[in-house]
Amino acid sequence: MMDNSSQFYIAIQGILKSWTALQLAVSHGFGGSESAEKAQWMVGVIEDYFRNNDDIEDWELGEFISQIMNEEFNTVLEDDSLSLVVKEIVTVYDLWSRNKTNELNARLQSLPQVNLSESVSQCEKSGMPTVEEQEVISSLSNSMNNASVTSNSSNLMNYDEGDSKSKEDDDGWTTVTTRSRARRK
């Protein structure tokens, strides 16, 4: 029989394994070659977060997990899946802390299983770019970030480095703004 503290760890692990966004990030290596290890590390970090803090609010846990996803998996979450994951973790923590083992186990057994091929199929049906297409777009965007766009055709606009200004934010993201209108050459 497992002890009570490992039940909360297993509950977090089950919730994260049922989270499509994290599983896509892991399966496509968004966290690098050690993506799976990072996902497992994340379970312990979340457990420690609860152990080291009292009265955690949903938004606090959400910001904490969002920061991990951004820093460790280079993933910015734009859907509501994070709020659902946070609510589930807070709920199982409450059950675990009140020693409601049967309710906790029933809740874990009802977690959905991630079907990554179904997620990719839904993206294709909705016209959204697949993960592979997003990787290509991201790669192209990164490679073109500091490049000048030029053309031999007189009908196209020619931008040089003086036309835009870029600023790197504290979080490592680069914001590019246009200082002046493009000049025709």
Side-chain angles (χ1 to χ4, degrees):
M1 175 147 184
M2 64 186 89
D3 70 2
N4 197 16
S5 64
S6 65
Q7 275 189 313
F8 183 52
Y9 181 92
I10 290 169
I12 297 168
Q13 185 175 39
I15 292 166
L16 295 183
K17 284 187 176 186
S18 71
W19 187 17
T20 303
L22 176 61
Q23 295 310 310
L24 281 170
V26 169
S27 70
H28 290 283
F30 290 174
S33 61
E34 297 178 343
S35 291
E37 291 82 3
K38 287 181 179 182
Q40 192 61 45
W41 162 84
M42 191 172 164
V43 175
V45 170
I46 292 171
E47 181 185 39
D48 288 344
Y49 189 75
F50 276 88
R51 185 179 299 132
N52 297 326
N53 297 285
D54 295 328
D55 302 320
I56 297 172
E57 298 288 330
D58 289 8
W59 67 268
E60 293 172 306
L61 181 59
E63 284 184 4
F64 180 69
I65 294 173
S66 179
Q67 181 179 359
I68 292 172
M69 291 296 291
N70 186 11
E71 292 176 4
E72 299 298 329
F73 295 97
N74 300 311
T75 302
V76 176
L77 302 163
E78 296 180 351
D79 62 0
D80 65 342
S81 67
L82 178 60
S83 64
L84 299 173
V85 167
V86 165
K87 286 183 189 326
E88 193 64 31
I89 291 173
V90 169
T91 299
V92 298
Y93 177 75
D94 180 59
L95 293 172
W96 170 77
S97 64
R98 292 186 298 134
N99 206 23
K100 302 274 187 174
T101 307
N102 291 338
E103 290 176 48
L104 176 63
N105 289 334
R107 192 156 193 108
L108 292 178
Q109 290 176 357
S110 70
L111 288 173
Q113 297 296 312
V114 173
N115 183 345
L116 296 179
S117 62
E118 183 178 292
S119 298
V120 171
S121 175
Q122 288 175 354
C123 285
E124 290 168 350
K125 287 178 185 174
S126 69
M128 293 173 38
T130 64
V131 173
E132 291 82 8
E133 291 168 332
Q134 289 173 357
E135 289 173 355
V136 170
I137 292 167
S138 176
S139 176
L140 288 172
S141 174
N142 289 338
S143 67
M144 294 180 66
N145 192 25
N146 295 319
S148 295
V149 179
T150 60
S151 171
N152 291 333
S153 170
S154 61
N155 294 338
L156 296 176
M157 293 181 177
N158 182 11
Y159 292 93
D160 64 25
E161 290 177 2
D163 290 328
S164 65
K165 179 176 152 184
S166 65
K167 176 185 166 207
E168 187 169 306
D169 296 335
D170 294 334
D171 60 4
W173 290 91
T174 302
T175 304
V176 179
T177 57
T178 301
R179 282 194 287 191
S180 63
R181 295 184 59 132
R183 297 182 298 257
R184 288 198 178 262
K185 291 195 177 186

